[in-house]
Amino acid sequence: MKLVKRIVRRKVRELQPVIVEKAVDRVAGRAMQKAEAGGMLGFVQSLTPGKLKALAVGLVGAVVVLNVLGNFVREQKLKLMFRRELKKQLRPLEKKIDDLEDENEQLRRQLKAR
């Protein structure tokens, strides 16, 4: 058993550097492919002052639009919450009004019967 463990440990020690080197080569290769294909590095290198200005204006415009939309959604949410709360508080009053209308109708019938 000890002999098997020693053999396995030696093989693992021998294989570890090979595995690490292959992994590093793959990562470096991918990074080089991305840079050659344009990637983020190509984008940054192709920026001119005009493109940078247009990008900044576009980003500021996007922030403004998102802010306006956020305020609109917040306002609608508050209106909805207000309506729900108002309906919740008016339910007992509506029930009393219905009861009073029914009582009023009965009183009118009694008055007509006289």
Side-chain angles (χ1 to χ4, degrees):
M1 191 67 172
K2 289 183 180 180
L3 182 62
V4 172
K5 286 183 180 178
R6 286 182 190 170
I7 293 172
V8 169
R9 285 182 189 158
R10 284 184 189 161
K11 292 296 179 182
V12 168
R13 286 184 201 148
E14 291 173 2
L15 290 176
Q16 280 180 347
V18 174
I19 294 171
V20 171
E21 286 175 12
K22 285 185 178 179
V24 170
D25 288 343
R26 285 184 191 155
V27 171
R30 285 187 200 141
M32 292 300 291
Q33 288 173 356
K34 285 183 183 178
E36 290 170 359
M40 191 60 138
L41 183 61
F43 173 73
V44 171
Q45 288 176 347
S46 69
L47 279 179
T48 61
K51 287 182 181 178
L52 190 59
K53 185 177 180 180
L55 182 64
V57 169
L59 289 175
V60 168
V63 168
V64 169
V65 167
L66 288 175
N67 193 8
V68 168
L69 285 174
N71 288 337
F72 177 74
V73 169
R74 189 177 306 114
E75 183 180 330
Q76 294 301 317
K77 182 175 139 185
L78 288 174
K79 283 182 182 179
L80 182 63
M81 287 172 50
F82 178 74
R83 286 183 199 143
R84 285 182 184 166
E85 187 63 30
L86 188 62
K87 285 180 182 179
K88 186 177 175 183
Q89 291 179 4
L90 289 178
R91 279 187 198 132
L93 294 176
E94 289 175 354
K95 186 177 179 186
K96 286 181 183 179
I97 289 173
D98 290 340
D99 292 341
L100 288 173
E101 286 177 349
D102 291 340
E103 186 180 342
N104 190 18
E105 190 67 32
Q106 290 174 357
L107 290 174
R108 284 186 184 179
R109 287 182 194 155
Q110 289 176 0
L111 186 61
K112 283 184 180 180
R114 286 184 192 181

